[in-house]
Amino acid sequence: MYSVELMVMEHDNILRLIDVVRAACCQVIEGRDVNDEDFRKMIEFARNYADKHHHGKEEQILFLEMTNHLGTVGANLIQHGMLVEHDLGRRYMMDLEAALNQYKEEPKTEYKLEILANAAGYANLLTRHIGKENEVVYTYAEKSLAEDILKSVDERVKVFEDEATENKIQEKYLSILKELEEKYLPSLL
């Protein structure tokens, strides 16, 4: 299924960001200064690529169909599982941004701790979340949704993706990711 393959590939890109986040946190723990600009780029990627671009397709298309057509199990899986975790990820990004703002204003250790706690919390949440979606949610959708619904999901995801490509969303955020990887994970490239 085109949609699932695309979303799994996007998960791979989000996991690349998670590796950067962890590396940046480790550098701070090891005594480097908090790089405000880089952490803000990580937030920008998380908000615009992981959330608006990737979660946009899930929430507006795939998860909506699962909620509408897979009964109580589908609705519970999405509404009380995946969507709750999407909101938790957004909260981590809001709190990370607030901690960066506080630290920039007054570089106290407690604000640095908040930066690390929220960045690491996001990384841990998304790692588990992506595992659940790849291994359970997408598989359940492919097995359980009717063929015509799956075809409709693919068509709508393709339109969503084409519009994003036209607006250079993927190009912009994958470029930011590559820049961060070159800085924080040079041995992996």
Side-chain angles (χ1 to χ4, degrees):
M1 187 172 151
Y2 164 79
S3 304
V4 168
E5 289 172 16
L6 177 65
M7 290 179 200
V8 168
M9 185 217 43
E10 290 170 350
H11 279 165
D12 292 343
N13 293 330
I14 296 165
L15 289 170
R16 289 169 54 201
L17 173 74
I18 297 308
D19 290 341
V20 167
V21 168
R22 288 189 170 120
C25 288
C26 286
Q27 287 184 6
V28 172
I29 290 168
E30 292 166 353
R32 291 222 184 131
D33 290 335
V34 171
N35 187 317
D36 184 81
E37 182 182 347
D38 287 348
F39 274 98
R40 290 183 194 277
K41 286 179 183 176
M42 293 172 214
I43 292 170
E44 182 182 356
F45 183 95
R47 284 181 172 160
N48 294 297
Y49 183 86
D51 195 24
K52 285 184 184 153
H53 181 67
H54 174 74
H55 291 161
K57 286 189 285 269
E58 288 177 338
E59 292 178 4
Q60 296 167 34
I61 304 169
L62 180 62
F63 290 177
L64 188 62
E65 294 298 346
M66 291 178 75
T67 301
N68 290 341
H69 298 285
L70 298 182
T72 306
V73 173
N76 284 340
L77 177 64
I78 299 306
Q79 293 171 344
H80 303 298
M82 299 304 98
L83 295 180
V84 169
E85 291 180 2
H86 286 186
D87 285 343
L88 284 171
R90 292 174 185 122
R91 185 63 199 212
Y92 276 122
M93 287 297 104
M94 280 177 31
D95 290 348
L96 174 56
E97 185 176 49
L100 284 167
N101 292 341
Q102 290 173 308
Y103 187 75
K104 193 173 186 177
E105 192 73 28
E106 188 180 358
K108 292 168 58 174
T109 302
E110 68 184 272
Y111 300 143
K112 188 187 287 188
L113 175 62
E114 287 299 311
I115 291 167
L116 295 175
N118 285 294
Y122 179 80
N124 292 336
L125 171 72
L126 264 285
T127 300
R128 285 190 310 275
H129 177 79
I130 286 170
K132 285 185 249 181
E133 286 183 341
N134 285 353
E135 295 164 24
V136 178
V137 177
Y138 295 163
T139 305
Y140 182 60
E142 287 181 306
K143 280 197 243 178
S144 305
L145 287 171
E147 199 57 45
D148 62 321
I149 294 170
L150 291 172
K151 187 173 188 254
S152 171
V153 167
D154 272 352
E155 290 167 356
R156 288 179 286 158
V157 164
K158 185 165 180 2
V159 168
F160 189 109
E161 191 68 11
D162 289 347
E163 186 177 304
T165 300
E166 203 174 290
N167 292 319
K168 300 188 185 315
I169 298 298
Q170 302 92 321
E171 181 182 323
K172 176 181 180 176
Y173 293 104
L174 293 177
S175 171
I176 289 171
L177 178 60
K178 188 172 181 344
E179 173 195 329
L180 290 168
E181 284 178 316
E182 287 170 358
K183 185 169 187 175
Y184 290 93
L185 303 166
S187 63
L188 296 179
L189 301 177

